[in-house]
Amino acid sequence: MDSGSNVEEGKSWDELYTLDLMPSELFLKFRKEIQGFRFGVNMEFYNAPSNEFESKLVLKPMANDRRWKFMYAPLHHDVRLMSKKIPVTNFLNLQVGVGHSFGLNSTGLNWKLSTCLGGDGLSRIRNKTLLGVCPGVDLRFAWKADYVLPEFNGAVGTGQPLFNMNSGSFHASLDRVELILTHTTEYVPDNQVPEGGKSQPSAGSDIQIS
């Protein structure tokens, strides 16, 4: 009998450590900021596992303490009103929404618990990174990483190896790339009058809504 027939072969480094830079989602977002609100048009392309396209109209307040977001999907004739993410713990958020489908003529309530940690809560990280290219142009990258930390162990006098190493694993992927184009509106308030009683344009009198 071959004693080595039941020994599992170790995985190569190429299998344990992988990096996938081909995104499965491509988003193009147009944003208009005016009077404390942000109106957006999203064009969403999905190339895995199936080629799909979806468009959305989004309206939400620009304040940091905004509590809602309105979305309309013209292709599916769906409207949704979503709450902001409500912190439940330091790593767990709750989001609640109500929606109506004109195609199905039905209204429903949904909720979602989300976190930057996934999987078993210890071995996965999800995050988004925003990169400002120039004023009004931003790139956002959504990525995730699954990992198992290396482990070292050994024994003396037990019949086990003196030194043993588990090399761990790391699998990272770039899931989504977003190109965000933002247009802001500048205006001069009517009640802002300089000293002397005459209203006149000046470089310091413009206020940018952001």
Side-chain angles (χ1 to χ4, degrees):
M1 180 180 295
D2 186 3
S3 60
S5 59
N6 294 328
V7 178
E8 183 179 356
E9 295 185 0
K11 294 183 178 180
S12 64
W13 287 97
D14 292 339
E15 295 176 310
L16 294 174
Y17 293 86
T18 61
L19 180 61
D20 185 6
L21 297 179
M22 180 60 68
S24 59
E25 302 174 2
L26 299 173
F27 286 11
L28 178 59
K29 297 183 177 182
F30 300 92
R31 292 175 174 177
K32 175 68 175 180
E33 299 179 354
I34 185 171
Q35 298 297 332
F37 290 91
R38 175 181 290 159
F39 176 74
V41 179
N42 297 353
M43 303 176 65
E44 305 176 359
F45 302 88
Y46 303 89
N47 57 16
S50 60
N51 295 325
E52 295 183 0
F53 168 76
E54 185 174 354
S55 61
K56 292 179 182 178
L57 305 180
V58 182
L59 178 66
K60 62 182 178 181
M62 294 174 54
N64 293 329
D65 59 346
R66 61 179 180 269
R67 300 181 180 276
W68 57 271
K69 176 172 64 174
F70 175 81
M71 293 183 293
Y72 171 60
L75 296 181
H76 298 87
H77 304 288
D78 294 337
V79 294
R80 282 185 291 171
L81 182 63
M82 303 291 296
S83 72
K84 67 172 294 185
K85 292 183 178 180
I86 305 169
V88 179
T89 65
N90 292 335
F91 302 100
L92 192 63
N93 298 318
L94 172 65
Q95 192 172 30
V96 182
V98 59
H100 179 78
S101 174
F102 291 97
L104 301 176
N105 194 23
S106 62
T107 302
L109 178 70
N110 55 46
W111 57 272
K112 180 175 68 173
L113 283 173
S114 61
T115 176
C116 63
L117 302 176
D120 56 9
L122 297 175
S123 62
R124 169 171 290 183
I125 296 177
R126 291 191 182 101
N127 209 340
K128 293 181 179 179
T129 303
L130 184 66
L131 175 63
V133 180
C134 62
V137 180
D138 298 293
L139 285 173
R140 178 182 290 162
F141 305 94
W143 55 272
K144 72 173 182 286
D146 297 302
Y147 64 92
V148 176
L149 295 177
E151 182 181 66
F152 303 91
N153 55 64
V156 176
T158 62
Q160 297 180 1
L162 178 64
F163 177 81
N164 187 32
M165 181 186 72
N166 180 359
S167 56
S169 63
F170 180 84
H171 305 282
S173 63
L174 179 63
D175 296 335
R176 180 192 303 171
V177 175
E178 302 178 8
L179 174 61
I180 305 172
L181 307 177
T182 304
H183 180 265
T184 58
T185 301
E186 297 183 354
Y187 73 97
V188 179
D190 296 335
N191 59 356
Q192 185 171 346
V193 179
E195 295 182 0
K198 294 183 180 181
S199 177
Q200 56 183 2
S202 63
S205 62
D206 291 341
I207 296 181
Q208 182 175 356
I209 301 299
S210 60

